[in-house]
Amino acid sequence: MRTFGHSVGRLRRLVFVAVLLPYAAAAGSDVEIPTEVEYFLEAVRTLSASFSQTLIDAEGIQVEASSGTLDIARPGRFRWVYREPYEQWLVADGRNVWSYDVDLEQVTVKPQAVALANTPALLLGGADDVLAEFDFVASTENDGLTWARFAPRSSDNGFSHVDLAFRGETLARMVFYDNLDQTTVVELTDVVVNGDVDASLFAFTVPEGVDLVGTPAESRAP
């Protein structure tokens, strides 16, 4: 059975083996964040794209491939929709993360602060979230892309580092390395930055007849 842990695990692993690059600086050195990264963290309010995602095991063998669409609206909202090989939605509405497995007719919900704590999904949240939970390690240029590496400050989150690749100021690739020596590659295409994104994409309603597992965090009183 596919579980919420599997779903958020995708975000924890949310990557290309070819990214073993000679980075320009080591962790702890006095290095400036590239302007492309600063723009992504501070100026990008919305992002929409198609994606393909590949999981590569410790032996360098591809063990999983999936694809779908991604929408981000900062702060704190995103929607990953996996279309292949099976349909699954991951919706963060700012309070909760909803995982909807269409085939299993099951929705699992967890408070967002719990579900995404110290995960790479925080990289989608904006500068404050990222700089509070991650250290910028180094950057390099390769094949027309600017690469930036981040390392989590917490050691118990299941992954070692995250690489982001930019073509100009546009995020093109995300690479996540977990503590089992697995690598997940997310390639983005048809990227639209700071376009109009319908807020209803991040409002999730449990479909009729679908099982709900978990209790959502309550809305804050106005």
Side-chain angles (χ1 to χ4, degrees), residues 4 93 96-99 107-111 115 206 212-217:
F4 187 86
D93 62 15
N96 299 289
V97 177
W98 306 83
S99 173
V107 171
T108 306
V109 63
K110 284 189 177 182
V206 178
L212 174 63
V213 178
T215 302

Side-chain angles (χ1 to χ4, degrees), residues 54-215:
T54 305
L55 174 63
I56 300 168
D57 69 13
E59 304 301 320
I61 299 172
Q62 177 179 315
V63 295
E64 182 180 291
S66 53
S67 61
T69 58
L70 166 65
D71 294 281
I72 300 169
R74 290 172 169 166
R77 294 178 296 166
F78 64 81
R79 177 187 179 99
W80 289 83
V81 177
Y82 290 86
R83 302 295 186 189
E84 299 291 341
Y86 52 83
E87 186 171 0
Q88 185 176 39
W89 303 5
L90 289 166
V91 179
D93 62 15
R95 293 185 303 273
N96 299 289
V97 177
W98 306 83
S99 173
Y100 175 30
D101 192 309
V102 175
D103 291 344
L104 295 181
E105 297 186 332
Q106 178 177 288
V107 171
T108 306
V109 63
K110 284 189 177 182
Q112 192 161 322
V114 174
L116 301 184
N118 300 316
T119 73
L122 288 178
L123 289 165
L124 307 179
D128 291 343
D129 291 329
V130 172
L131 298 180
E133 302 292 343
F134 292 82
D135 288 318
F136 172 66
V137 177
S139 65
T140 191
E141 302 285 336
N142 187 56
D143 195 25
L145 298 175
T146 298
W147 288 91
R149 175 163 292 182
F150 291 86
R153 292 185 176 182
S154 173
S155 60
D156 60 356
N157 47 49
F159 66 100
S160 59
H161 57 276
V162 179
D163 292 342
L164 303 182
F166 297 85
R167 184 171 286 106
E169 293 181 333
T170 301
L171 181 65
R173 188 178 296 170
M174 297 183 287
V175 184
F176 302 85
Y177 302 83
D178 70 22
N179 290 335
L180 298 176
D181 294 327
Q182 297 181 122
T183 304
T184 304
V185 182
V186 180
E187 300 270 2
L188 301 182
T189 57
D190 303 321
V191 180
V192 177
V193 174
N194 290 340
D196 292 331
V197 175
D198 190 340
S200 66
L201 289 175
F202 313 105
F204 186 84
T205 300
V206 178
E208 185 176 352
V210 171
D211 293 333
L212 174 63
V213 178
T215 302

